Amino acid sequence: MKKGLLYISLLSMLLLAACNEEATKENKDNDEQSALVEENAEQFESDEEQQKIDVDGESQGQDEPVEQIPQYELNPKTFSIQPIGDANPKVVLLTIDDAPDKRALDMAKTLKKLDAPAIFFVNGHFIATDEKKAILKEIHDMGFTIGNHTQTHANLKTLSEEEQREEIISVNDLVEEITGERPRFFRAPFGANTDFSKAFALNEGMQVMNWSYGYDFEKEYMTKERIADIMVNTELLRNGSNLLMHDRDWTADALEEIVNGLRDKGYEFVDPKLIKGLDDEQRG
């Protein structure tokens, strides 16, 4: 009788142990399966989040300006463009004054089509209406640099310091209101700077810029054919030339021929955004 009870007790213990082992194994399997499911879920969420970051990052990257390292600098005496380091020396800078008077938008579209960057120097009295403001905004949004050419195109040497200040600051404020950026370059009408205008432009963070040569304001070059010829074939053309043009019908009509003619001579066009600015100098 005692042996029978002992046998039953042993059998019960073995069965209980087997059940516990199976339960432990089952729990372990369930834990491993739960862990695997949880890991897969976390990985899915991580992948989904990464895809979102990639998409958002790509779109944000298109909106955020990329900081460009200066490749050129402005010679303050000759106003020519000089390479920094091993940048291509055979370049010219295109500049358009008195914008947006008549044909500035046409000129911007021509330059955009030809992938030729330029600075558009604006006069404040040409951006007094909503229509002209919209034109300036469109030129800026096409990627062109906007410069300051004073409010009324007055000869600064004939004005008081306060009048000179107003001629300059009013354009900076208006350009910033329209485009979101203040001008980095200042060009005085007729190239007639004063000690005050140069100091004030510097204080406003602008570089004073005149030019190497220009002809379209001279009567004998006020035709498409003559201005196209002289801008490309003048003896003044050389590496780093700073080319002065204006918002005029004959220049607008000749612009594509001028750009192609300069390229045929091996010249490239400097992107003004690659010209070292005062902020770059302060950063060292």
Side-chain angles (χ1 to χ4, degrees), residues 113-250:
K113 178 184 71 173
L114 298 172
D115 192 24
I119 302 175
F120 283 79
F121 282 98
V122 304
N123 294 119
H125 65 264
F126 287 138
I127 47 176
T129 67
D130 290 341
E131 179 183 4
K132 289 297 184 70
K133 289 177 182 178
I135 288 175
L136 181 64
K137 181 69 163 55
E138 185 173 354
I139 292 172
H140 171 268
D141 289 349
M142 291 167 70
F144 294 102
T145 297
I146 307 301
N148 184 326
H149 198 39
T150 74
Q151 176 67 27
T152 66
H153 204 274
N155 187 328
L156 296 180
K157 292 183 177 181
T158 67
L159 304 180
S160 68
E161 290 186 355
E162 181 56 34
E163 289 171 330
Q164 292 179 59
R165 180 189 181 281
E166 183 60 28
E167 284 281 336
I168 299 170
I169 196 70
S170 60
V171 174
N172 278 0
D173 291 343
L174 189 53
V175 168
E176 183 178 27
E177 176 187 324
I178 296 169
T179 69
E181 296 181 16
R182 294 179 80 78
R184 294 177 53 226
F185 301 103
F186 172 70
R187 175 172 283 168
F190 319 108
N193 278 289
T194 67
D195 290 340
F196 176 83
S197 70
K198 288 186 286 187
F200 188 78
L202 180 68
N203 188 60
E204 277 288 298
M206 294 185 292
Q207 294 190 82
V208 173
M209 177 184 286
N210 281 356
W211 55 88
S212 301
Y213 68 83
Y215 297 92
D216 64 354
F217 53 91
E218 298 180 18
K219 188 173 182 179
E220 65 178 298
Y221 297 111
M222 291 182 180
T223 67
K224 171 186 174 181
E225 294 75 20
R226 289 188 175 181
I227 192 60
D229 176 66
I230 190 64
M231 290 300 293
V232 174
N233 297 312
T234 174
E235 61 183 12
L236 298 178
L237 174 62
R238 54 181 53 89
N239 290 357
S241 287
N242 189 329
L243 277 54
L244 169 66
M245 293 178 283
H246 293 79
D247 180 353
R248 302 288 185 269
D249 287 333
W250 48 91

